Amino acid sequence: MYSNNPILFAAADAAVPLWDGVLDVILMIVFSLIAIVVVMTFAGLSVVAERKVCAFMQGRYGPNRTAIPWIAAIPGVGTVLRSFGLMQLVADALKFLLKEDPLPNHVNKPWYLAAPAIALTPVLTVACLIPCGVIYADSGKIPMSVADVDLSLILALAIGSLGAYGAVIAGWSSNSKYPYFGGVRASAQMISYELTMGICALTVAIWVAPVTGKPFSLFAIADSQSGAMWLCITQPLTAFLFLVALFAETNRLPFDMAESETDLVSGFHTEYGSFKFGLFFVGEYGHVAVASALFATLFLGGWNPLPGLSWPADWGWVSSVLCVLTFLVKVAAMIFFFIWMRWSVPRFRYDQVMRLGWQCLVPLALANFVFYIILRAAM
Amino acid sequence: MEEKLVTVNIDGVDWKVPCGLNVIEACKFAGVEIPHFCYHEYLPVAGSCRLCLVSIGTPARDRATGELIKNDDGSQKIAWMPKPAIACGTKVSEGMHVVTKSELIDDCRKGVLEFLLLNHPLDCPICDKAGECRLQEYATAYGRGESRFIERKNVKPKRREIADGKIILDNERCILCSRCIRISRQLVGRDVFGFTKRGSKNEVAVYPDEPVDSNYILNVVDNCPVGALTEKAFRFKMRTWFLKMTRGISAESSAGVNTWIWSRENVIYRITPRENRQVNDVWMSDSGRYTFGKFQSAERLTTARIDCSESSAEYALTRATEILNLGSVAIVASGYQTLEELFMIRRLADDLKAQTYMVSHLRGSDDGMLVSIDKTPNLRGGFVAGILKEYPKADLAGLAAKVRDGSVKTVLCFHEDLLSLGFDAKDFKRANIIYCGSLDNTCAREAKVALPLPSEFEKSGLWINRQWRLQAFDKAVDSPAGVLNDFDVLCSFGRTASGEDFKTPTLQSVRRAMSAAIKILPENCEVPAEGAVLDASEFSGVDFPETNALHFTKNVQQ
Amino acid sequence: MSITVDRKKLSFLERTYIPQIIGGLYITFRNMLKSKVTLSYPDQRPTLPPGYRGAPTLVKDGDGREKCVSCQLCEFICPSKAIRVTPGAIKADSKYAFIEKAPQAFEINMLRCIFCGMCQEVCPEKAIVLQNEFSLAGFSREEMVRDKAALYAAGGTMPDKIKKWSRVKSNEELERGEH
């Protein structure tokens, strides 16, 4: 399964055969950790970005005072870090870690404790499936992802939707009415929009299938857009529907029914505090980061700089680095779009969310799917 | 005697008012206010301020025949006086017509007030009278509102201490109403104040080199309509609008002078007389105004003591109750206690099979006015409650002898200082002395158990004055922290003595029980504003030392 | 009586929400590029408008005389009971003995003060003035109770146009004879 990983290959070649399996495992752990660190960093930066962007949109400065004394004292760097609010991130993290960790008496304790982990884990798992670039090796293109699986698209959707269990379990185990409502809403919403997402993914898969031969591989889908039109141009409606479904899946405004402060206090995590709440919080932003990456991979050409253009293969590792940077820029842009949306659009009512999901998006997605089947067959 | 009534038309409405009233009183009867400075109900009419001008008319009569003249429409023709007349100096007569509300009268009042304010310094911010000043009130209600006077105001003597430094005289504020002159004539019996100079320099002055030794001179301060005469002891202490007025009775003597107690945030600032036509009219002695001082000083007992060392109130109360249960008890009640307390002491004494004593406090002599020789306010309460049968002695030599021969082992003493009443320090070793009182006297310092009790300003109750008049007073301030409640203490003693388990009664329930037990008290001890005179024929054999005074005649039941 | 409000019939495009959402996105994006309205407070200071109601202070007149005569009207009017005045007399040998009254103690509890300005409005001597001080903080409750000295230190002098208390001392100055 991992045998086409170039670095692993090299390591396996050099190592004593006895150590093959062990090295495999150790390296996988290291890569996974890197993926986790990257996702967590993105989640953290998203938090800062969220605060800064919303501040800017409201004519404010946002966090620009927090300073770690000896870092803030560095001329230039310190000022920048401070005014960009980056040290606020550390302060927030410390706050979550150091606050008293309350365990309410009325909750179902094992599930209550498990829920934050259940919410965060799928996000990190999906992150391992995303190809963030390509390495041009002699043997061909090698994807830069921890796990390049042929069915990675299906796997990503499958694991990603497990995140809903975090909200549902948290809502149920809190044994309190608002979290319960939040949990119920989260599950219903997830099921409704999962459908649209799945159909859109299928539309993409059948479109790329003849080109790549691996219809459900994220790397293959991204690679099919190298030097070609991006899928958001060839399939604008699919991209739009997928994006809307992503918003709903990540519980972002205008679809954050599970939290919905105005009517549910704070939704499924009302009873959570300190570090456990922090996990939900990071999970939410991690989800945003991963969803952005997924969208960039599927519709925005992955690591390719422009439609019809890709970094030349003969530049070697330079090209690989540029690929990764391109991808990260796209992810960042998508995160910005998520944030921008949140501070522009009011929340839907719950019945509107449901009606939109079942009466508009699902039929549209199905029609779109049929249209592309016919189109593909005609080509 | 039936009062003769006359019909007076005031502002178009006919009223039947008693004959002999002046127009101000008749209007007050009709609920119409006529502003006035110099007129005072209890003083002779001076008619100097001219503020009470009203239009007055009488039924027109034919000069020749003396017959009433009718108008053309058949109604009575009124002969109006050509100019407004002063209401204070005009007595009502049958058929009189009075107009108090008209443009003319408004103009009169405006004019009078403008003249009064010409040389008035308008220093209300520093004037102690502000808030209860008639000039302020009337200038607001009836004045022009602004001055047309552009010249410099006259300068007159200010800040002069008079009447042995009890009063501060400010001539600039004076409106020359002559109330102080008339009051001093009436209460001091001679002229203390007089007018000097003339015209706009006219001012009130005291007779030089003549000391004012009267105990009633501060009444001029109460009745000065402006801030010309202010009391030095109250000077710049507190503005009147912060003070809460509580119905009180002066504890100075058995005269039972009705008072207002002025307090703010549990601090008493002054005591002024309260009108009671049957007791003190509107007067009060100067000495009675400062009876609150000792309860707001270091003399106050605020902590319970056992064997001369401080203790918790609960523990001291328990200890005292234990001692009382040892038997051979004598109780010394006080004439400063309320009738309710004396009644409960009587019951306690019955339960404990204790002897009861009281002490008379005779000092000085009757001044013929509002200070009697008996300095306790409620000695007659002792008779009514059944504690006394004959007039008490001035000391407790008899009780001290019983302590010395061992027939009395415990003395429960309320408020009295036993050491000044025939006891010596050794008697405090011979018997268990329990002191309950509000002052920290030598008795409190030597006693086996000392319990702090509220002062008369910190409780409601009933007192009986020299006229056998039952009068009620209200709680003005809260007791300092640590002071016990009278009823709690008495009930705590009584609870173990009688073996009954009963709750501390309310004031009302004690009064109900008292009126049921004592026939001469009114039902539920409900007392009208002027007090209720009790039927004292039961005690006619007792020789009381008070002599004739204002509203009091010895041995005559009012 | 009920009022029926007619709802505007939405067009198809409007019902897709998309133009509105794009409009909203445009507005927020435009806002993001505008200059900030927030004041960076300790670095930048606000310009206070005239008549600003900051901390109440006691002021002296042009001669350095304390204006307050402790009439206690401010204490009376104060809705939050923040002011506590202890009146006192001016010593007879003082230059201002003729004013007679001055505060012995004057305390304003800044924890209670609600900056309503009623004390300033009611003061007959214009002695209590709400000035520009707005940043009030302390480490204990006691230090937030400002005594007379602190109030005068914060207040400074504020001369009046009308010299109410500079007056003639005798009738001779007025050239008015005795009768």
Side-chain angles (χ1 to χ4, degrees):
Chain A
M1 188 173 177
Y2 305 122
S3 52
N4 54 356
N5 191 310
I7 306 168
L8 275 188
F9 252 139
D13 278 347
V16 184
L18 185 69
W19 291 98
D20 270 10
V22 183
L23 250 178
D24 251 19
V25 171
I26 292 171
L27 277 172
M28 284 323 293
I29 290 173
V30 170
F31 289 143
S32 306
L33 283 178
I34 291 171
I36 288 172
V37 167
V38 169
V39 173
M40 292 298 243
T41 310
F42 257 91
L45 290 175
S46 316
V47 177
V48 175
E50 176 101 56
R51 294 181 68 172
K52 287 304 259 194
V53 168
C54 90
F56 289 158
M57 284 174 176
Q58 294 166 352
R60 299 184 283 113
Y61 289 102
N64 63 349
R65 293 302 162 98
T66 322
I68 303 170
W70 55 88
I71 294 181
I74 305 169
V77 181
T79 321
V80 168
L81 285 180
R82 186 170 168 226
S83 60
F84 277 82
L86 286 171
M87 288 185 272
Q88 182 71 39
L89 184 63
V90 182
D92 285 349
L94 275 177
K95 182 190 78 172
F96 281 134
L97 281 172
L98 298 178
K99 265 171 116 170
E100 185 193 354
D101 196 359
L103 183 60
N105 220 15
H106 55 76
V107 298
N108 189 323
K109 292 191 179 64
W111 289 112
Y112 176 83
L113 293 173
I118 295 172
L120 183 60
T121 319
V123 174
L124 301 176
T125 313
V126 173
C128 295
L129 299 171
I130 310 251
C132 54
V134 66
I135 295 168
Y136 296 103
D138 297 340
S139 55
K141 293 174 177 177
I142 300 167
M144 283 174 86
S145 68
V146 177
D148 176 41
V149 221
D150 286 353
L151 291 176
S152 54
L153 175 58
I154 303 283
L155 199 58
L157 291 182
I159 297 173
S161 53
L162 284 178
Y165 281 99
V168 173
I169 290 171
W172 172 79
S173 69
S174 289
N175 194 13
S176 159
K177 72 178 157 187
Y178 294 120
Y180 183 72
F181 287 157
V184 169
R185 283 186 183 187
S187 58
Q189 189 180 318
M190 290 284 177
I191 291 167
S192 312
Y193 284 80
E194 194 78 13
L195 216 55
T196 312
M197 239 170 116
I199 297 168
C200 289
L202 272 182
T203 317
V204 171
I206 56 130
W207 188 255
V208 298
V211 185
T212 61
K214 285 182 185 171
F216 294 113
S217 163
L218 284 172
F219 175 73
I221 294 170
D223 195 34
S224 75
Q225 299 172 62
S226 308
M229 273 303 122
W230 291 357
L231 279 171
C232 66
I233 296 166
T234 51
Q235 300 197 357
L237 186 61
T238 319
F240 174 71
L241 293 176
F242 192 82
L243 185 64
V244 173
L246 265 188
F247 269 97
E249 282 289 293
T250 52
N251 260 326
R252 294 285 299 185
L253 265 161
F255 299 109
D256 72 334
M257 304 317 299
E259 277 181 50
S260 187
E261 298 87 350
T262 41
D263 42 348
L264 293 188
V265 187
S266 176
F268 61 90
H269 55 60
T270 304
E271 301 285 346
Y272 285 87
S274 81
F275 188 62
K276 292 198 285 293
F277 170 74
L279 287 183
F280 275 120
F281 197 67
V282 171
E284 190 192 321
Y285 282 95
H287 213 136
V288 170
V290 168
S292 303
L294 198 60
F295 189 80
T297 309
L298 288 182
F299 294 100
L300 296 181
W303 53 81
N304 298 303
L306 282 171
L309 197 72
S310 61
W311 299 111
D314 46 3
W315 287 5
W317 64 272
V318 177
S319 190
S320 298
V321 170
L322 286 173
C323 282
V324 173
L325 286 179
T326 314
F327 186 73
L328 290 183
V329 166
K330 284 179 183 177
V331 172
M334 277 309 293
I335 290 175
F336 171 75
F337 183 71
F338 268 91
I339 295 168
W340 183 14
M341 200 68 176
R342 173 171 176 185
W343 297 102
S344 307
V345 183
R347 181 180 294 129
F348 280 113
R349 219 165 50 219
Y350 193 63
D351 62 315
Q352 291 171 329
V353 172
M354 284 290 116
R355 207 178 57 218
L356 187 72
W358 288 100
Q359 295 187 354
C360 302
L361 297 186
V362 172
L364 258 180
L366 274 175
N368 184 51
F369 181 49
V370 172
F371 172 77
Y372 280 103
I373 290 177
I374 295 167
L375 196 63
R376 180 90 287 189
M379 279 167 76
Chain B
M1 195 187 86
E2 207 165 288
E3 270 182 309
K4 198 187 158 207
L5 296 178
V6 292
T7 308
V8 181
N9 184 295
I10 297 166
D11 290 335
V13 183
D14 279 338
W15 294 88
K16 290 246 178 234
V17 300
C19 184
L21 284 189
N22 64 27
V23 174
I24 287 189
E25 293 298 326
C27 287
K28 199 192 277 175
F29 189 86
V32 177
E33 189 204 30
I34 295 181
H36 56 273
F37 288 117
C38 69
Y39 172 71
H40 191 287
E41 197 187 337
Y42 292 90
L43 294 175
V45 172
S48 63
C49 73
R50 317 307 287 180
L51 189 61
C52 61
L53 289 170
V54 289
S55 299
I56 293 173
T58 46
R61 286 176 188 272
D62 188 290
R63 287 191 184 228
T65 60
E67 279 175 14
L68 294 168
I69 304 172
K70 303 277 182 194
N71 284 328
D72 296 342
D73 59 357
S75 61
Q76 175 61 48
K77 187 178 178 189
I78 303 298
W80 292 99
M81 292 188 197
K83 296 257 170 90
I86 49 170
C88 64
T90 313
K91 294 263 192 291
V92 292
S93 61
E94 182 63 37
M96 182 183 269
H97 276 57
V98 179
V99 174
T100 68
K101 294 180 185 75
S102 69
E103 217 169 290
L104 173 70
I105 302 303
D106 285 351
D107 279 350
C108 288
R109 290 172 183 170
K110 273 185 193 154
V112 169
L113 282 165
E114 192 172 15
F115 274 120
L116 288 176
L117 289 169
L118 277 190
N119 281 310
H120 190 87
L122 296 178
D123 57 351
C124 303
I126 61 163
C127 177
D128 268 330
K129 199 74 180 182
E132 53 179 11
C133 172
R134 280 177 182 242
L135 187 58
Q136 243 184 356
E137 285 162 13
Y138 292 152
T140 313
Y142 305 107
R144 291 176 46 84
E146 56 193 60
S147 174
R148 292 182 289 182
F149 189 68
I150 54 168
E151 290 80 10
R152 306 294 293 263
K153 295 194 177 199
N154 266 341
V155 180
K156 286 183 182 177
K158 289 172 81 79
R159 205 177 180 178
R160 268 166 51 181
E161 291 189 8
I162 57 167
D164 299 338
K166 281 201 272 193
I167 297 174
I168 305 274
L169 172 63
D170 187 316
N171 277 111
E172 284 186 354
R173 295 179 190 150
C174 179
I175 57 163
L176 305 167
C177 70
S178 80
R179 271 189 183 190
C180 49
I181 297 175
R182 286 172 284 153
I183 289 171
S184 56
R185 252 178 222 160
Q186 180 157 331
L187 297 181
V188 182
R190 63 179 168 82
D191 277 323
V192 175
F193 297 93
F195 287 135
T196 60
K197 303 186 187 169
R198 291 189 298 162
S200 64
K201 306 286 162 50
N202 197 336
E203 63 186 50
V204 155
V206 288
Y207 282 81
D209 309 326
E210 241 182 89
V212 181
D213 51 3
S214 169
N215 193 24
Y216 290 89
I217 196 67
L218 280 177
N219 286 298
V220 301
V221 173
D222 298 330
N223 292 291
C224 179
V226 292
L229 295 161
T230 49
E231 188 181 345
K232 196 180 176 195
F234 182 62
R235 182 176 159 89
F236 302 159
K237 285 286 180 296
M238 192 48 66
R239 306 315 298 253
T240 54
W241 52 76
F242 288 115
L243 299 175
K244 181 187 78 177
M245 290 160 80
T246 316
R247 207 160 58 120
I249 304 287
S250 173
E252 190 196 12
S253 76
S254 61
V257 171
N258 289 220
T259 59
W260 287 119
I261 300 163
W262 302 69
S263 63
R264 180 190 186 196
E265 292 171 359
N266 289 329
V267 177
I268 301 173
Y269 285 90
R270 66 169 177 181
I271 295 177
T272 58
R274 173 163 57 97
E275 182 175 1
N276 187 336
R277 286 165 189 280
Q278 305 300 325
V279 180
N280 57 318
D281 294 343
V282 287
W283 317 121
M284 183 178 183
S285 64
D286 298 355
S287 48
R289 292 168 196 254
Y290 301 106
T291 48
F292 60 86
K294 60 178 184 278
F295 299 114
Q296 295 181 2
S297 70
E299 274 182 79
R300 190 67 200 272
L301 179 65
T302 53
T303 48
R305 294 195 194 118
I306 297 177
D307 295 330
C308 308
S309 55
E310 286 187 4
S311 136
S312 80
E314 289 76 18
Y315 188 59
L317 200 53
T318 317
R319 185 86 189 94
T321 311
E322 283 167 15
I323 293 170
L324 285 176
N325 283 322
L326 296 176
S328 311
V329 180
I331 301 178
V332 181
S334 160
Y336 288 96
Q337 287 181 291
T338 64
L339 186 60
E340 292 91 336
E341 288 161 35
L342 292 173
F343 172 72
M344 286 175 75
I345 287 175
R346 179 67 258 164
R347 291 204 156 175
L348 177 66
D350 292 344
D351 288 338
L352 292 169
K353 301 190 177 51
Q355 304 156 345
T356 52
Y357 294 86
M358 274 177 96
V359 187
S360 70
H361 290 270
L362 303 177
R363 276 194 299 278
S365 60
D366 273 18
D367 64 358
M369 290 279 295
L370 296 166
V371 182
S372 71
I373 183 170
D374 181 0
K375 303 299 178 205
T376 56
N378 195 28
L379 193 75
R380 281 164 179 78
F383 286 92
V384 171
I387 289 175
L388 290 175
K389 291 282 175 270
E390 57 193 27
Y391 202 81
K393 297 194 177 63
D395 62 22
L396 292 167
L399 178 59
K402 286 186 181 173
V403 167
R404 280 164 207 153
D405 71 21
S407 60
V408 168
K409 298 240 168 50
T410 305
V411 178
L412 175 59
C413 164
F414 289 93
H415 298 285
E416 304 289 359
D417 188 353
L418 293 179
L419 281 167
S420 64
L421 296 171
F423 278 61
D424 59 35
K426 278 183 192 158
D427 296 331
F428 279 71
K429 300 282 178 289
R430 290 192 189 102
N432 293 317
I433 311 287
I434 299 167
Y435 171 81
C436 307
S438 42
L439 292 179
D440 191 2
N441 52 27
T442 46
C443 186
R445 286 189 284 275
E446 295 290 326
K448 190 89 176 163
V449 180
L451 293 167
L453 287 186
S455 72
E456 63 254 23
F457 299 103
E458 293 152 14
K459 59 191 176 193
S460 303
L462 297 164
W463 277 342
I464 300 171
N465 78 349
R466 60 185 173 188
Q467 305 162 311
W468 292 95
R469 184 179 293 276
L470 185 66
Q471 303 193 97
F473 61 94
D474 295 331
K475 176 178 171 170
V477 292
D478 288 331
S479 301
V483 173
L484 295 162
N485 176 309
D486 290 292
F487 288 177
D488 280 343
V489 171
L490 288 167
C491 286
S492 175
F493 295 161
R495 205 169 287 148
T496 34
S498 64
E500 284 175 51
D501 184 30
F502 58 90
K503 279 188 281 185
T504 302
T506 61
L507 190 72
Q508 282 68 30
S509 65
V510 175
R511 285 182 182 175
R512 268 198 298 277
M514 199 158 67
S515 65
I518 302 169
K519 293 289 161 295
I520 59 171
L521 293 178
E523 195 180 342
N524 292 339
C525 292
E526 276 161 14
V527 184
E530 292 189 339
V533 177
L534 304 179
D535 173 20
S537 50
E538 208 185 315
F539 311 107
S540 54
V542 184
D543 181 32
F544 288 99
E546 287 98 338
T547 54
N548 293 355
L550 186 68
H551 294 300
F552 175 70
T553 318
K554 191 175 168 72
N555 296 332
V556 172
Q557 185 80 42
Q558 263 85 16
Chain C
M1 197 186 79
S2 64
I3 299 169
T4 310
V5 179
D6 287 328
R7 287 221 164 180
K8 188 188 154 215
K9 191 94 176 125
L10 297 178
S11 68
F12 173 76
L13 256 185
E14 282 170 331
R15 278 191 290 154
T16 62
Y17 303 120
I18 293 167
Q20 274 65 38
I21 289 177
I22 291 172
L25 290 173
Y26 171 65
I27 289 171
T28 44
F29 194 81
R30 210 179 41 189
N31 256 352
M32 200 165 70
L33 303 178
K34 281 186 187 161
S35 62
K36 309 288 173 278
V37 293
T38 310
L39 189 77
S40 293
Y41 166 60
D43 309 328
Q44 294 170 298
R45 290 273 167 173
T47 44
L48 300 178
Y52 180 80
R53 298 199 308 254
T57 59
L58 287 177
V59 298
K60 296 184 172 176
D61 75 354
D63 304 332
R65 177 185 69 82
E66 69 172 327
K67 287 189 190 176
C68 178
V69 295
S70 63
C71 70
Q72 293 182 289
L73 279 175
C74 48
E75 184 178 355
F76 181 67
I77 204 82
C78 182
S80 57
K81 295 194 185 344
I83 303 178
R84 179 52 59 123
V85 185
T86 313
I90 297 179
K91 286 197 187 78
D93 55 1
S94 160
K95 184 175 149 198
Y96 299 109
F98 62 92
I99 301 174
E100 296 184 58
K101 204 176 172 189
Q104 210 175 77
F106 199 116
E107 282 182 350
I108 301 183
N109 187 340
M110 294 313 300
L111 296 168
R112 283 183 149 259
C113 178
I114 57 168
F115 306 95
C116 64
M118 285 215 202
C119 46
Q120 177 174 357
E121 204 169 319
V122 82
C123 183
E125 302 289 332
K126 294 186 173 151
I128 185 163
V129 181
L130 270 68
Q131 298 196 36
N132 281 346
E133 188 185 355
F134 58 84
S135 174
L136 299 149
F139 288 98
S140 67
R141 286 173 182 276
E142 290 72 32
E143 74 185 88
M144 294 307 285
V145 179
R146 295 189 158 184
D147 61 5
K148 196 171 134 180
L151 289 167
Y152 274 117
T157 58
M158 206 170 271
D160 281 330
K161 277 191 208 134
I162 299 169
K163 296 209 164 29
K164 183 175 168 184
W165 289 105
S166 54
R167 28 150 273 179
V168 287
K169 307 293 186 299
S170 71
N171 281 331
E172 282 73 46
E173 289 175 51
L174 295 173
E175 298 178 349
R176 287 180 193 167
E178 300 283 330
H179 295 279

